[in-house]
Amino acid sequence: MANFKISYREDTALFQNLWVKSWLGIFIAAMIVLPFLLSRYQLSILNGMGIAVIGALGLNLLIGYTGQISLGHGAFVAIGAYTTGLLAGTLGVPFIVALPVSGTTAALLSLIVGVPSLRLKGLYLALGTLAFGFIIEYVLFHWDLTRGDTGMAVPKIGAGGFFIETELQFFYLIMFFAALATLVAKNLARTKIGRSFVAIRDRDIAAEAMGISLSKYKIMAFAVSAFYAGVAGCLLAYYQKWIVPGNFDISLSIAYIAMIVLGGMGTILGSILGAILITGIPYGIVYLTDALRGTYPNLSGLIVDLKLGIFGLVIVLTLLFEPQGLVGIYRRIKVYWKTWPFKY
Amino acid sequence: MRSKLWGWSVLLAVVLFLSVNSAWAATVRGVTDKEIKLACLVDLSGPGKYGGPPIADAFRDYVAWVNDTGGINGRKINLVVEDNGILPTTTMNAAKKVILKDEVLAIAFNLGSAGSSAIVPLCAENKVVLMPHGANKVFYHPGNKWVFVPHTVQFSMASRAVEYVLGKNAKARIGVIYQDDDFGREGLEGASAAAAFLKTKLVAQAPYKTGTIDFTPHMNAMKEANVDTIMLWTYLPQSAAIIKQKVKMGWDVQLISNNTTGVPPLFALTGEAADGYMFVTPYAPVNTDLPGIKRIKEINKKYGNAAKTLENPAYPDYLYLAGWGYIEAMAQGLRKAGKDLNPETLVKGLESVRNFDMGGLCPNITFGPKQHVSSFSSLILKADGKTKRFVIVDSIKAPKTPQE
């Protein structure tokens, strides 16, 4: 099948050829049927992955596309979750309102780190965002309204007697928003905004010389990223039904960074693959431990001891052998099949 | 053609959905004619790793003994010990695993307040009885149908500490150093409530951030307030640091703390300086010959590894006892639930446990439809720096301060 592109429009098209459209159709069909074949536990894993995908997409737009380092992404997820907790749990606001308000609140609060980012770069920006994360965590622990580490209850999503409460129902809800978030991010990357993000990442002085407003686009990158995080936080809050500050500590921010680094910086697909990998590793260890428990009881105990080590080892090995992340592997496989049976 | 395909797809989806649901509804999760599946979620990794193994030891020993002696109403217990990593996120993952994958009937232990709070909705949604080991009164007040606390909580122990001190000296000037989190604040609340009940006040309060080990300013504040007793709602490293600071200052002030600090490593950290250090705990020391303690020692010797556990002077035995109290309470609820065991009958079974005799190991266990905490009582122990042991100075009593 010929795959030539003769215009920029074709080159940046979302669904570039029939193959892509076919695979997408198969993927959607699989996502509709799959939940009926999986256990509730496996569905819960996919639900966690779906929420992580949304958060990782947001962070990749900021770090991967715009080159603005952030160690405070978990704080924006927390802001989204607690906005939902306060709106839905305390004021009884419905999901349809709580979701955009959670994202918007996170986006507005991102100005606290977005504005200083105009003067801060690299490690200094990293430290600034890290400090922001600690401040948010402190507030959540000490503000009476958020009830410290006792946490807050979040009601079910529903209206008129219908509630979204099972893993299956959450699966479709979360996957819908994950797909929407992916579509928006993919589109954003193709627009002037996305190209400006990339120009700033590649060389901010050159970008400014080309007429790109650094302040506008840097702040926009922070806001968009935080909006994604806020939406992820909102969904997480509704899904878990109870939020505690410990859910959103520095380890969450680090996990998100690991997702985009391992998945592939500056790529939408990388965010998705990274989110799946990082969220999936602990569950992979669970299955491995269970499989070995009967035959090698001591070995399975050792795996629990080495859990963090295994997690770190996977990350280090991926970075060593695949610095472009999982998306690099994907690209190689794609090229291999595209040129098959030829090597180049 | 297309509409036919849609029709078949919808039919297939409906059949799958119904088959999955009917299969689930036909059985009781975690219960068969021969087996009851229970979970114990403890820290086997992460910062709380120290606490997990002794609790798991107690569960394993108890289950081995019960299974060897006929099980519960003819059913053997299948115990699933899972690492909860103490953090809310890791606890949630562990709870999902045991509920959705292993399909246990109940979670007979979960270590950590925040993690327990996080998994309460999951447990309630899946009708899983949860027994959290945490600090918070919120687990039983206002309470939740599926949550039972077979443990005296920090609020009650702090009330007991203040009542004990004021009972010895009505004019005692009590200061409090507490960790600035829910654990510490609940201790402060319990102490304040007891002081108010006895128509007095705490004369000084000094919070500290988690991880603090320099207590010079806190102890100076206490000295300036001229306190004669300091209540510590701290963890072991902080208590050890405060004992050392007390020695450094040459200040003979009485210290009284909570059960988490009354462990053998206290002597390793502070030596003889620990002498006279008091703490409140629901659990009697293992070196006593109370009937409840003798019983667990015998079972531990037969079914566990006594040399590495209860006969090992460095072993954190209070955690073993805590685990024992939990599994004993759960087993009693299972017995009361009878042969027709399911989540609802388990709740009723637990709610019908009245004054179950623990032989002095800890307060007797009583639950009820409106009481999902087993007891408000605790003992006062004192450290003997020379023998490196803890001795009972005041037996099991409930505080007079209202607890709800």
Side-chain angles (χ1 to χ4, degrees), chain A residues 308-325:
Chain A
L308 281 176
I310 294 169
F311 193 78
L313 191 68
V314 171
I315 293 175
V316 170
L317 290 177
T318 313
L319 288 177
L320 266 177
F321 295 107
E322 196 49 67
Q324 287 187 340

Side-chain angles (χ1 to χ4, degrees), chain B residues 287-358:
Chain B
N287 53 41
T288 55
D289 58 356
L290 293 160
I293 298 284
K294 277 165 83 173
R295 178 170 158 257
I296 66 159
K297 278 182 177 170
E298 283 163 15
I299 294 172
N300 173 249
K301 201 159 197 161
K302 187 170 178 190
Y303 296 97
N305 187 342
K308 281 190 176 174
T309 55
L310 293 184
E311 287 175 5
N312 172 8
Y315 186 69
D317 47 30
Y318 100 89
L319 290 164
Y320 184 99
L321 300 188
W324 194 275
Y326 272 65
I327 184 64
E328 186 93 76
M330 176 58 76
Q332 196 55 19
L334 291 168
R335 283 185 194 105
K336 294 260 184 183
K339 197 76 185 159
D340 178 24
L341 182 60
N342 60 49
E344 296 288 347
T345 56
L346 175 58
V347 168
K348 287 207 165 61
L350 281 163
E351 286 177 345
S352 66
V353 176
R354 297 273 187 281
N355 205 25
F356 179 70
D357 187 8
M358 295 298 288

Side-chain angles (χ1 to χ4, degrees), chain B residues 200-218:
Chain B
T200 183
K201 277 183 179 173
L202 304 172
V203 295
Q205 298 168 19
Y208 70 89
K209 295 274 154 276
T210 309
T212 302
I213 45 164
D214 177 12
F215 283 90
T216 312
H218 305 79

Side-chain angles (χ1 to χ4, degrees), chain A residues 138-153:
Chain A
Y138 182 86
V139 170
L140 297 180
F141 265 115
H142 290 86
W143 194 15
D144 287 345
L145 216 53
T146 53
R147 300 181 55 209
D149 57 8
T150 302
M152 292 180 76

Side-chain angles (χ1 to χ4, degrees), chain B residues 31 60-61 94 107 111 155 195 202 225-226 229 246 248 255 269-270 305 309 336 338 356 385:
Chain B
V31 182
R60 289 192 181 108
D61 291 356
I107 298 175
L111 193 58
F155 184 94
L202 304 172
N226 195 27
T229 305
K246 176 188 137 176
K248 198 171 155 188
L255 302 177
L269 289 168
T270 60
N305 187 342
T309 55
K336 294 260 184 183
F356 179 70

